PDB file of all heavy atoms in Angstrom:
ATOM      1  N   THR A  14       1.180 -17.336 -40.810  1.00  0.00           N
ATOM      2  CA  THR A  14      -0.120 -16.934 -40.550  1.00  0.00           C
ATOM      3  C   THR A  14      -0.437 -16.908 -39.103  1.00  0.00           C
ATOM      4  O   THR A  14      -1.001 -15.861 -38.665  1.00  0.00           O
ATOM      5  CB  THR A  14      -1.118 -18.029 -41.109  1.00  0.00           C
ATOM      6  OG1 THR A  14      -0.624 -18.272 -42.441  1.00  0.00           O
ATOM      7  CG2 THR A  14      -2.491 -17.664 -41.045  1.00  0.00           C
ATOM      8  N   PHE A  26      -7.122  -6.572 -28.872  1.00  0.00           N
ATOM      9  CA  PHE A  26      -7.389  -6.495 -27.410  1.00  0.00           C
ATOM     10  C   PHE A  26      -6.770  -5.380 -26.694  1.00  0.00           C
ATOM     11  O   PHE A  26      -7.414  -4.812 -25.845  1.00  0.00           O
ATOM     12  CB  PHE A  26      -6.881  -7.965 -26.746  1.00  0.00           C
ATOM     13  CG  PHE A  26      -7.875  -8.985 -27.025  1.00  0.00           C
ATOM     14  CD1 PHE A  26      -7.330 -10.326 -27.184  1.00  0.00           C
ATOM     15  CD2 PHE A  26      -9.216  -8.852 -27.136  1.00  0.00           C
ATOM     16  CE1 PHE A  26      -8.167 -11.360 -27.461  1.00  0.00           C
ATOM     17  CE2 PHE A  26     -10.042  -9.910 -27.351  1.00  0.00           C
ATOM     18  CZ  PHE A  26      -9.513 -11.243 -27.568  1.00  0.00           C
ATOM     19  N   VAL A  29      -9.007  -2.315 -27.051  1.00  0.00           N
ATOM     20  CA  VAL A  29     -10.259  -2.163 -26.485  1.00  0.00           C
ATOM     21  C   VAL A  29     -10.221  -2.244 -25.054  1.00  0.00           C
ATOM     22  O   VAL A  29     -11.125  -1.859 -24.266  1.00  0.00           O
ATOM     23  CB  VAL A  29     -11.322  -3.139 -27.031  1.00  0.00           C
ATOM     24  CG1 VAL A  29     -11.730  -2.717 -28.458  1.00  0.00           C
ATOM     25  CG2 VAL A  29     -10.783  -4.518 -26.971  1.00  0.00           C
ATOM     26  N   ASP A 128     -33.656 -40.458 -54.109  1.00  0.00           N
ATOM     27  CA  ASP A 128     -32.694 -39.396 -53.979  1.00  0.00           C
ATOM     28  C   ASP A 128     -33.211 -38.262 -53.125  1.00  0.00           C
ATOM     29  O   ASP A 128     -32.605 -37.684 -52.315  1.00  0.00           O
ATOM     30  CB  ASP A 128     -32.275 -39.031 -55.333  1.00  0.00           C
ATOM     31  CG  ASP A 128     -31.048 -38.120 -55.398  1.00  0.00           C
ATOM     32  OD1 ASP A 128     -30.259 -38.185 -54.487  1.00  0.00           O
ATOM     33  OD2 ASP A 128     -31.037 -37.227 -56.278  1.00  0.00           O
ATOM     34  N   GLY A 132     -32.245 -36.862 -49.588  1.00  0.00           N
ATOM     35  CA  GLY A 132     -31.795 -35.475 -49.557  1.00  0.00           C
ATOM     36  C   GLY A 132     -32.400 -34.749 -48.559  1.00  0.00           C
ATOM     37  O   GLY A 132     -31.822 -33.971 -47.864  1.00  0.00           O
ATOM     38  N   GLN A 136     -31.054 -32.851 -45.143  1.00  0.00           N
ATOM     39  CA  GLN A 136     -31.190 -31.439 -44.850  1.00  0.00           C
ATOM     40  C   GLN A 136     -31.792 -31.331 -43.428  1.00  0.00           C
ATOM     41  O   GLN A 136     -31.299 -30.402 -42.722  1.00  0.00           O
ATOM     42  CB  GLN A 136     -32.179 -30.846 -45.849  1.00  0.00           C
ATOM     43  CG  GLN A 136     -31.522 -30.658 -47.222  1.00  0.00           C
ATOM     44  CD  GLN A 136     -30.444 -29.547 -47.329  1.00  0.00           C
ATOM     45  OE1 GLN A 136     -30.373 -28.832 -46.347  1.00  0.00           O
ATOM     46  NE2 GLN A 136     -29.616 -29.656 -48.335  1.00  0.00           N
ATOM     47  N   PHE A 144     -26.948 -27.243 -30.182  1.00  0.00           N
ATOM     48  CA  PHE A 144     -27.316 -27.083 -28.764  1.00  0.00           C
ATOM     49  C   PHE A 144     -28.768 -27.493 -28.463  1.00  0.00           C
ATOM     50  O   PHE A 144     -29.183 -27.938 -27.408  1.00  0.00           O
ATOM     51  CB  PHE A 144     -27.152 -25.564 -28.328  1.00  0.00           C
ATOM     52  CG  PHE A 144     -27.671 -24.617 -29.375  1.00  0.00           C
ATOM     53  CD1 PHE A 144     -28.974 -24.112 -29.258  1.00  0.00           C
ATOM     54  CD2 PHE A 144     -26.843 -24.088 -30.312  1.00  0.00           C
ATOM     55  CE1 PHE A 144     -29.462 -23.140 -30.021  1.00  0.00           C
ATOM     56  CE2 PHE A 144     -27.297 -23.160 -31.287  1.00  0.00           C
ATOM     57  CZ  PHE A 144     -28.693 -22.769 -31.239  1.00  0.00           C
ATOM     58  N   PHE A 145     -29.574 -27.407 -29.518  1.00  0.00           N
ATOM     59  CA  PHE A 145     -31.086 -27.974 -29.400  1.00  0.00           C
ATOM     60  C   PHE A 145     -30.907 -29.417 -29.213  1.00  0.00           C
ATOM     61  O   PHE A 145     -31.558 -30.140 -28.422  1.00  0.00           O
ATOM     62  CB  PHE A 145     -31.826 -27.526 -30.658  1.00  0.00           C
ATOM     63  CG  PHE A 145     -33.260 -27.977 -30.554  1.00  0.00           C
ATOM     64  CD1 PHE A 145     -33.985 -27.958 -29.314  1.00  0.00           C
ATOM     65  CD2 PHE A 145     -33.799 -28.529 -31.660  1.00  0.00           C
ATOM     66  CE1 PHE A 145     -35.320 -28.343 -29.337  1.00  0.00           C
ATOM     67  CE2 PHE A 145     -35.209 -28.928 -31.656  1.00  0.00           C
ATOM     68  CZ  PHE A 145     -35.821 -28.792 -30.443  1.00  0.00           C
ATOM     69  N   ILE A 148     -29.999 -30.395 -25.825  1.00  0.00           N
ATOM     70  CA  ILE A 148     -31.027 -30.190 -24.879  1.00  0.00           C
ATOM     71  C   ILE A 148     -31.978 -31.421 -25.034  1.00  0.00           C
ATOM     72  O   ILE A 148     -32.477 -31.993 -23.975  1.00  0.00           O
ATOM     73  CB  ILE A 148     -31.755 -28.979 -25.031  1.00  0.00           C
ATOM     74  CG1 ILE A 148     -30.870 -27.828 -24.484  1.00  0.00           C
ATOM     75  CG2 ILE A 148     -33.107 -28.858 -24.356  1.00  0.00           C
ATOM     76  CD1 ILE A 148     -31.393 -26.383 -24.487  1.00  0.00           C
ATOM     77  N   TRP A 152     -32.788 -34.139 -22.235  1.00  0.00           N
ATOM     78  CA  TRP A 152     -34.264 -34.463 -21.756  1.00  0.00           C
ATOM     79  C   TRP A 152     -34.521 -35.943 -21.813  1.00  0.00           C
ATOM     80  O   TRP A 152     -35.033 -36.522 -20.935  1.00  0.00           O
ATOM     81  CB  TRP A 152     -35.190 -33.644 -22.627  1.00  0.00           C
ATOM     82  CG  TRP A 152     -36.644 -33.803 -22.282  1.00  0.00           C
ATOM     83  CD1 TRP A 152     -37.224 -33.832 -21.012  1.00  0.00           C
ATOM     84  CD2 TRP A 152     -37.716 -33.983 -23.160  1.00  0.00           C
ATOM     85  NE1 TRP A 152     -38.445 -33.962 -21.105  1.00  0.00           N
ATOM     86  CE2 TRP A 152     -38.888 -34.144 -22.447  1.00  0.00           C
ATOM     87  CE3 TRP A 152     -37.870 -34.130 -24.595  1.00  0.00           C
ATOM     88  CZ2 TRP A 152     -40.177 -34.390 -22.969  1.00  0.00           C
ATOM     89  CZ3 TRP A 152     -39.039 -34.341 -25.173  1.00  0.00           C
ATOM     90  CH2 TRP A 152     -40.182 -34.476 -24.323  1.00  0.00           C
ATOM     91  N   LEU A 156     -32.932 -37.148 -18.456  1.00  0.00           N
ATOM     92  CA  LEU A 156     -34.023 -36.962 -17.477  1.00  0.00           C
ATOM     93  C   LEU A 156     -34.984 -38.016 -17.537  1.00  0.00           C
ATOM     94  O   LEU A 156     -35.458 -38.546 -16.518  1.00  0.00           O
ATOM     95  CB  LEU A 156     -34.707 -35.523 -17.760  1.00  0.00           C
ATOM     96  CG  LEU A 156     -33.819 -34.425 -17.412  1.00  0.00           C
ATOM     97  CD1 LEU A 156     -34.475 -33.035 -17.779  1.00  0.00           C
ATOM     98  CD2 LEU A 156     -33.386 -34.302 -15.951  1.00  0.00           C
ATOM     99  N   ALA A 247     -12.577 -27.949 -37.427  1.00  0.00           N
ATOM    100  CA  ALA A 247     -12.775 -26.645 -36.943  1.00  0.00           C
ATOM    101  C   ALA A 247     -14.236 -26.526 -36.282  1.00  0.00           C
ATOM    102  O   ALA A 247     -14.431 -26.009 -35.384  1.00  0.00           O
ATOM    103  CB  ALA A 247     -12.649 -25.728 -38.100  1.00  0.00           C
ATOM    104  N   VAL A 259     -23.983 -26.557 -22.655  1.00  0.00           N
ATOM    105  CA  VAL A 259     -25.290 -27.300 -22.467  1.00  0.00           C
ATOM    106  C   VAL A 259     -25.195 -28.413 -21.490  1.00  0.00           C
ATOM    107  O   VAL A 259     -25.916 -28.559 -20.599  1.00  0.00           O
ATOM    108  CB  VAL A 259     -25.696 -28.020 -23.853  1.00  0.00           C
ATOM    109  CG1 VAL A 259     -26.968 -28.712 -23.601  1.00  0.00           C
ATOM    110  CG2 VAL A 259     -25.968 -26.856 -24.828  1.00  0.00           C
ATOM    111  N   ILE A 273     -15.300 -14.308 -22.031  1.00  0.00           N
ATOM    112  CA  ILE A 273     -15.755 -13.323 -22.762  1.00  0.00           C
ATOM    113  C   ILE A 273     -16.724 -12.388 -21.956  1.00  0.00           C
ATOM    114  O   ILE A 273     -16.728 -11.336 -22.039  1.00  0.00           O
ATOM    115  CB  ILE A 273     -16.447 -13.884 -24.114  1.00  0.00           C
ATOM    116  CG1 ILE A 273     -15.289 -14.413 -24.979  1.00  0.00           C
ATOM    117  CG2 ILE A 273     -17.232 -12.757 -24.786  1.00  0.00           C
ATOM    118  CD1 ILE A 273     -15.883 -15.124 -26.224  1.00  0.00           C
ATOM    119  N   ARG A 276     -14.801 -10.459 -19.745  1.00  0.00           N
ATOM    120  CA  ARG A 276     -13.871  -9.603 -20.388  1.00  0.00           C
ATOM    121  C   ARG A 276     -12.437  -9.879 -19.850  1.00  0.00           C
ATOM    122  O   ARG A 276     -11.680  -8.996 -19.530  1.00  0.00           O
ATOM    123  CB  ARG A 276     -14.162  -8.105 -20.519  1.00  0.00           C
ATOM    124  CG  ARG A 276     -15.559  -7.919 -20.951  1.00  0.00           C
ATOM    125  CD  ARG A 276     -16.013  -6.538 -21.352  1.00  0.00           C
ATOM    126  NE  ARG A 276     -15.250  -5.819 -22.388  1.00  0.00           N
ATOM    127  CZ  ARG A 276     -15.255  -6.092 -23.620  1.00  0.00           C
ATOM    128  NH1 ARG A 276     -15.811  -7.282 -24.060  1.00  0.00           N
ATOM    129  NH2 ARG A 276     -14.667  -5.394 -24.572  1.00  0.00           N
ATOM    130  N   PHE A 278      -9.258 -10.746 -20.849  1.00  0.00           N
ATOM    131  CA  PHE A 278      -8.557 -10.746 -22.133  1.00  0.00           C
ATOM    132  C   PHE A 278      -7.379 -11.751 -22.261  1.00  0.00           C
ATOM    133  O   PHE A 278      -7.316 -12.419 -23.269  1.00  0.00           O
ATOM    134  CB  PHE A 278      -8.065  -9.383 -22.543  1.00  0.00           C
ATOM    135  CG  PHE A 278      -9.245  -8.408 -22.907  1.00  0.00           C
ATOM    136  CD1 PHE A 278      -9.615  -7.431 -22.067  1.00  0.00           C
ATOM    137  CD2 PHE A 278      -9.996  -8.715 -24.011  1.00  0.00           C
ATOM    138  CE1 PHE A 278     -10.651  -6.615 -22.288  1.00  0.00           C
ATOM    139  CE2 PHE A 278     -11.052  -7.874 -24.397  1.00  0.00           C
ATOM    140  CZ  PHE A 278     -11.484  -6.834 -23.602  1.00  0.00           C
ATOM    141  N   VAL A 292      -6.904 -25.452 -35.746  1.00  0.00           N
ATOM    142  CA  VAL A 292      -7.551 -25.380 -37.030  1.00  0.00           C
ATOM    143  C   VAL A 292      -6.598 -25.210 -38.250  1.00  0.00           C
ATOM    144  O   VAL A 292      -6.696 -25.976 -39.183  1.00  0.00           O
ATOM    145  CB  VAL A 292      -8.605 -24.209 -37.061  1.00  0.00           C
ATOM    146  CG1 VAL A 292      -9.145 -23.965 -38.432  1.00  0.00           C
ATOM    147  CG2 VAL A 292      -9.673 -24.612 -36.104  1.00  0.00           C
ATOM    148  N   ASN A 296      -5.560 -27.914 -41.183  1.00  0.00           N
ATOM    149  CA  ASN A 296      -5.742 -27.547 -42.572  1.00  0.00           C
ATOM    150  C   ASN A 296      -4.394 -27.728 -43.376  1.00  0.00           C
ATOM    151  O   ASN A 296      -4.458 -28.315 -44.551  1.00  0.00           O
ATOM    152  CB  ASN A 296      -6.060 -25.973 -42.715  1.00  0.00           C
ATOM    153  CG  ASN A 296      -7.639 -25.792 -42.600  1.00  0.00           C
ATOM    154  OD1 ASN A 296      -8.332 -26.556 -43.209  1.00  0.00           O
ATOM    155  ND2 ASN A 296      -7.991 -24.818 -41.948  1.00  0.00           N
ATOM    156  N   ASP A 314       0.512 -21.653 -55.106  1.00  0.00           N
ATOM    157  CA  ASP A 314       1.540 -20.892 -54.283  1.00  0.00           C
ATOM    158  C   ASP A 314       2.461 -21.856 -53.702  1.00  0.00           C
ATOM    159  O   ASP A 314       2.267 -22.583 -52.801  1.00  0.00           O
ATOM    160  CB  ASP A 314       0.728 -20.087 -53.272  1.00  0.00           C
ATOM    161  CG  ASP A 314      -0.284 -20.678 -52.631  1.00  0.00           C
ATOM    162  OD1 ASP A 314      -0.515 -21.970 -52.625  1.00  0.00           O
ATOM    163  OD2 ASP A 314      -1.169 -19.984 -52.038  1.00  0.00           O
TER     164      ASP A 314
ATOM    165  N   LYS B   3     -36.190 -32.626 -58.352  1.00  0.00           N
ATOM    166  CA  LYS B   3     -35.486 -32.511 -57.130  1.00  0.00           C
ATOM    167  C   LYS B   3     -35.452 -31.001 -56.719  1.00  0.00           C
ATOM    168  O   LYS B   3     -35.784 -30.696 -55.634  1.00  0.00           O
ATOM    169  CB  LYS B   3     -34.119 -33.075 -57.202  1.00  0.00           C
ATOM    170  CG  LYS B   3     -33.453 -33.255 -55.891  1.00  0.00           C
ATOM    171  CD  LYS B   3     -32.117 -34.010 -56.047  1.00  0.00           C
ATOM    172  CE  LYS B   3     -31.324 -34.180 -54.751  1.00  0.00           C
ATOM    173  NZ  LYS B   3     -30.003 -34.802 -55.061  1.00  0.00           N
ATOM    174  N   TYR B   7     -37.367 -29.388 -53.330  1.00  0.00           N
ATOM    175  CA  TYR B   7     -36.553 -28.722 -52.388  1.00  0.00           C
ATOM    176  C   TYR B   7     -37.131 -27.379 -52.297  1.00  0.00           C
ATOM    177  O   TYR B   7     -37.351 -26.783 -51.135  1.00  0.00           O
ATOM    178  CB  TYR B   7     -35.096 -28.653 -52.799  1.00  0.00           C
ATOM    179  CG  TYR B   7     -34.277 -29.864 -52.507  1.00  0.00           C
ATOM    180  CD1 TYR B   7     -32.954 -29.828 -52.846  1.00  0.00           C
ATOM    181  CD2 TYR B   7     -34.815 -30.858 -51.785  1.00  0.00           C
ATOM    182  CE1 TYR B   7     -32.184 -31.054 -52.596  1.00  0.00           C
ATOM    183  CE2 TYR B   7     -34.027 -31.961 -51.570  1.00  0.00           C
ATOM    184  CZ  TYR B   7     -32.774 -32.059 -51.988  1.00  0.00           C
ATOM    185  OH  TYR B   7     -31.954 -33.146 -51.680  1.00  0.00           O
ATOM    186  N   ARG B 106      -5.854 -14.417 -49.592  1.00  0.00           N
ATOM    187  CA  ARG B 106      -5.173 -15.151 -48.565  1.00  0.00           C
ATOM    188  C   ARG B 106      -5.923 -14.939 -47.206  1.00  0.00           C
ATOM    189  O   ARG B 106      -6.230 -15.867 -46.469  1.00  0.00           O
ATOM    190  CB  ARG B 106      -3.634 -14.708 -48.524  1.00  0.00           C
ATOM    191  CG  ARG B 106      -2.745 -15.201 -47.463  1.00  0.00           C
ATOM    192  CD  ARG B 106      -2.732 -16.646 -47.157  1.00  0.00           C
ATOM    193  NE  ARG B 106      -2.648 -17.595 -48.263  1.00  0.00           N
ATOM    194  CZ  ARG B 106      -1.509 -17.923 -48.857  1.00  0.00           C
ATOM    195  NH1 ARG B 106      -0.408 -17.441 -48.513  1.00  0.00           N
ATOM    196  NH2 ARG B 106      -1.509 -18.812 -49.845  1.00  0.00           N
ATOM    197  N   ILE B 110      -8.048 -17.681 -44.903  1.00  0.00           N
ATOM    198  CA  ILE B 110      -7.787 -17.910 -43.536  1.00  0.00           C
ATOM    199  C   ILE B 110      -9.100 -17.834 -42.637  1.00  0.00           C
ATOM    200  O   ILE B 110      -9.498 -18.633 -41.885  1.00  0.00           O
ATOM    201  CB  ILE B 110      -6.741 -17.117 -42.907  1.00  0.00           C
ATOM    202  CG1 ILE B 110      -5.376 -17.537 -43.593  1.00  0.00           C
ATOM    203  CG2 ILE B 110      -6.638 -17.253 -41.405  1.00  0.00           C
ATOM    204  CD1 ILE B 110      -4.256 -16.437 -43.403  1.00  0.00           C
ATOM    205  N   SER B 113     -11.597 -20.503 -43.003  1.00  0.00           N
ATOM    206  CA  SER B 113     -11.304 -21.847 -42.434  1.00  0.00           C
ATOM    207  C   SER B 113     -11.914 -21.968 -40.985  1.00  0.00           C
ATOM    208  O   SER B 113     -11.734 -23.060 -40.386  1.00  0.00           O
ATOM    209  CB  SER B 113      -9.865 -22.134 -42.531  1.00  0.00           C
ATOM    210  OG  SER B 113      -8.988 -21.200 -41.875  1.00  0.00           O
ATOM    211  N   PRO B 115     -15.158 -21.663 -38.367  1.00  0.00           N
ATOM    212  CA  PRO B 115     -16.620 -21.615 -38.304  1.00  0.00           C
ATOM    213  C   PRO B 115     -17.093 -20.254 -37.878  1.00  0.00           C
ATOM    214  O   PRO B 115     -16.371 -19.563 -37.077  1.00  0.00           O
ATOM    215  CB  PRO B 115     -16.897 -22.576 -37.277  1.00  0.00           C
ATOM    216  CG  PRO B 115     -15.767 -23.482 -37.043  1.00  0.00           C
ATOM    217  CD  PRO B 115     -14.603 -22.639 -37.381  1.00  0.00           C
ATOM    218  N   LEU B 121     -17.413 -15.261 -31.790  1.00  0.00           N
ATOM    219  CA  LEU B 121     -16.988 -15.294 -30.447  1.00  0.00           C
ATOM    220  C   LEU B 121     -15.769 -14.449 -30.230  1.00  0.00           C
ATOM    221  O   LEU B 121     -15.633 -13.666 -29.299  1.00  0.00           O
ATOM    222  CB  LEU B 121     -16.657 -16.721 -29.946  1.00  0.00           C
ATOM    223  CG  LEU B 121     -17.891 -17.498 -29.517  1.00  0.00           C
ATOM    224  CD1 LEU B 121     -17.428 -18.966 -29.298  1.00  0.00           C
ATOM    225  CD2 LEU B 121     -18.234 -17.013 -28.014  1.00  0.00           C
ATOM    226  N   GLY B 125     -15.705 -11.106 -28.191  1.00  0.00           N
ATOM    227  CA  GLY B 125     -14.670 -11.152 -27.109  1.00  0.00           C
ATOM    228  C   GLY B 125     -13.965  -9.863 -27.126  1.00  0.00           C
ATOM    229  O   GLY B 125     -13.569  -9.261 -26.055  1.00  0.00           O
ATOM    230  N   ILE B 126     -13.753  -9.206 -28.336  1.00  0.00           N
ATOM    231  CA  ILE B 126     -13.089  -7.976 -28.375  1.00  0.00           C
ATOM    232  C   ILE B 126     -13.983  -6.833 -28.022  1.00  0.00           C
ATOM    233  O   ILE B 126     -13.637  -5.917 -27.186  1.00  0.00           O
ATOM    234  CB  ILE B 126     -12.472  -7.787 -29.807  1.00  0.00           C
ATOM    235  CG1 ILE B 126     -11.373  -8.837 -30.072  1.00  0.00           C
ATOM    236  CG2 ILE B 126     -11.813  -6.446 -29.989  1.00  0.00           C
ATOM    237  CD1 ILE B 126     -10.869  -8.977 -31.460  1.00  0.00           C
ATOM    238  N   GLY B 128     -17.207  -6.866 -26.896  1.00  0.00           N
ATOM    239  CA  GLY B 128     -18.192  -7.098 -25.894  1.00  0.00           C
ATOM    240  C   GLY B 128     -19.477  -7.573 -26.359  1.00  0.00           C
ATOM    241  O   GLY B 128     -19.958  -7.371 -27.529  1.00  0.00           O
ATOM    242  N   PHE B 209     -27.742 -18.148 -27.302  1.00  0.00           N
ATOM    243  CA  PHE B 209     -27.829 -19.313 -26.454  1.00  0.00           C
ATOM    244  C   PHE B 209     -26.758 -19.169 -25.411  1.00  0.00           C
ATOM    245  O   PHE B 209     -26.898 -19.361 -24.113  1.00  0.00           O
ATOM    246  CB  PHE B 209     -27.746 -20.604 -27.107  1.00  0.00           C
ATOM    247  CG  PHE B 209     -27.779 -21.741 -26.256  1.00  0.00           C
ATOM    248  CD1 PHE B 209     -29.065 -22.289 -25.750  1.00  0.00           C
ATOM    249  CD2 PHE B 209     -26.596 -22.407 -25.849  1.00  0.00           C
ATOM    250  CE1 PHE B 209     -28.991 -23.381 -25.015  1.00  0.00           C
ATOM    251  CE2 PHE B 209     -26.613 -23.498 -24.958  1.00  0.00           C
ATOM    252  CZ  PHE B 209     -27.781 -24.056 -24.614  1.00  0.00           C
ATOM    253  N   LEU B 225     -34.097 -20.779 -25.357  1.00  0.00           N
ATOM    254  CA  LEU B 225     -33.648 -22.231 -25.280  1.00  0.00           C
ATOM    255  C   LEU B 225     -32.764 -22.466 -24.010  1.00  0.00           C
ATOM    256  O   LEU B 225     -32.893 -23.381 -23.152  1.00  0.00           O
ATOM    257  CB  LEU B 225     -33.000 -22.612 -26.548  1.00  0.00           C
ATOM    258  CG  LEU B 225     -32.883 -24.166 -26.923  1.00  0.00           C
ATOM    259  CD1 LEU B 225     -34.309 -24.657 -26.985  1.00  0.00           C
ATOM    260  CD2 LEU B 225     -32.337 -24.157 -28.380  1.00  0.00           C
ATOM    261  N   GLN B 229     -33.605 -24.546 -20.180  1.00  0.00           N
ATOM    262  CA  GLN B 229     -32.787 -25.802 -19.853  1.00  0.00           C
ATOM    263  C   GLN B 229     -33.085 -26.304 -18.389  1.00  0.00           C
ATOM    264  O   GLN B 229     -33.234 -27.420 -18.205  1.00  0.00           O
ATOM    265  CB  GLN B 229     -31.326 -25.631 -20.203  1.00  0.00           C
ATOM    266  CG  GLN B 229     -30.790 -27.006 -20.608  1.00  0.00           C
ATOM    267  CD  GLN B 229     -29.187 -26.957 -20.726  1.00  0.00           C
ATOM    268  OE1 GLN B 229     -28.594 -25.855 -20.788  1.00  0.00           O
ATOM    269  NE2 GLN B 229     -28.600 -28.033 -20.624  1.00  0.00           N
ATOM    270  N   MET B 233     -37.185 -30.840 -17.124  1.00  0.00           N
ATOM    271  CA  MET B 233     -37.926 -31.927 -16.541  1.00  0.00           C
ATOM    272  C   MET B 233     -39.379 -31.516 -16.270  1.00  0.00           C
ATOM    273  O   MET B 233     -40.339 -32.171 -16.679  1.00  0.00           O
ATOM    274  CB  MET B 233     -37.329 -32.256 -15.062  1.00  0.00           C
ATOM    275  CG  MET B 233     -37.865 -33.597 -14.576  1.00  0.00           C
ATOM    276  SD  MET B 233     -37.284 -35.040 -15.637  1.00  0.00           S
ATOM    277  CE  MET B 233     -38.442 -36.198 -15.283  1.00  0.00           C
ATOM    278  N   PRO B 236     -40.870 -29.337 -20.612  1.00  0.00           N
ATOM    279  CA  PRO B 236     -39.993 -29.543 -21.832  1.00  0.00           C
ATOM    280  C   PRO B 236     -40.431 -28.592 -23.036  1.00  0.00           C
ATOM    281  O   PRO B 236     -39.650 -28.213 -23.872  1.00  0.00           O
ATOM    282  CB  PRO B 236     -40.114 -30.970 -22.184  1.00  0.00           C
ATOM    283  CG  PRO B 236     -41.250 -31.524 -21.407  1.00  0.00           C
ATOM    284  CD  PRO B 236     -41.375 -30.677 -20.257  1.00  0.00           C
ATOM    285  N   ILE B 240     -38.509 -27.067 -26.420  1.00  0.00           N
ATOM    286  CA  ILE B 240     -38.846 -27.778 -27.610  1.00  0.00           C
ATOM    287  C   ILE B 240     -39.363 -26.814 -28.778  1.00  0.00           C
ATOM    288  O   ILE B 240     -38.763 -26.718 -29.798  1.00  0.00           O
ATOM    289  CB  ILE B 240     -39.832 -28.944 -27.398  1.00  0.00           C
ATOM    290  CG1 ILE B 240     -39.020 -30.001 -26.685  1.00  0.00           C
ATOM    291  CG2 ILE B 240     -40.289 -29.460 -28.774  1.00  0.00           C
ATOM    292  CD1 ILE B 240     -40.000 -31.109 -26.177  1.00  0.00           C
ATOM    293  N   GLY B 243     -36.638 -24.347 -30.015  1.00  0.00           N
ATOM    294  CA  GLY B 243     -35.601 -25.081 -30.703  1.00  0.00           C
ATOM    295  C   GLY B 243     -36.156 -25.485 -32.132  1.00  0.00           C
ATOM    296  O   GLY B 243     -35.474 -25.501 -33.157  1.00  0.00           O
ATOM    297  N   GLY B 254     -31.505 -23.914 -45.812  1.00  0.00           N
ATOM    298  CA  GLY B 254     -30.751 -25.162 -46.220  1.00  0.00           C
ATOM    299  C   GLY B 254     -31.273 -25.730 -47.520  1.00  0.00           C
ATOM    300  O   GLY B 254     -30.621 -25.938 -48.552  1.00  0.00           O
ATOM    301  N   ALA B 258     -29.915 -25.791 -51.299  1.00  0.00           N
ATOM    302  CA  ALA B 258     -29.842 -27.060 -52.057  1.00  0.00           C
ATOM    303  C   ALA B 258     -30.496 -26.943 -53.346  1.00  0.00           C
ATOM    304  O   ALA B 258     -30.028 -27.494 -54.404  1.00  0.00           O
ATOM    305  CB  ALA B 258     -30.372 -28.238 -51.244  1.00  0.00           C
TER     306      ALA B 258
END
Side-chain angles (χ1 to χ4, degrees):
Chain A
T14 310
F26 281 146
V29 290
D128 187 32
Q136 288 288 342
F144 47 91
F145 180 44
I148 287 182
W152 180 46
L156 296 173
V259 177
I273 289 175
R276 308 195 57 71
F278 290 110
V292 170
N296 272 321
D314 41 18
Chain B
K3 195 172 173 186
Y7 279 177
R106 176 47 48 81
I110 293 167
S113 58
L121 275 168
I126 295 170
F209 179 82
L225 209 48
Q229 211 191 342
M233 192 67 202
I240 288 171

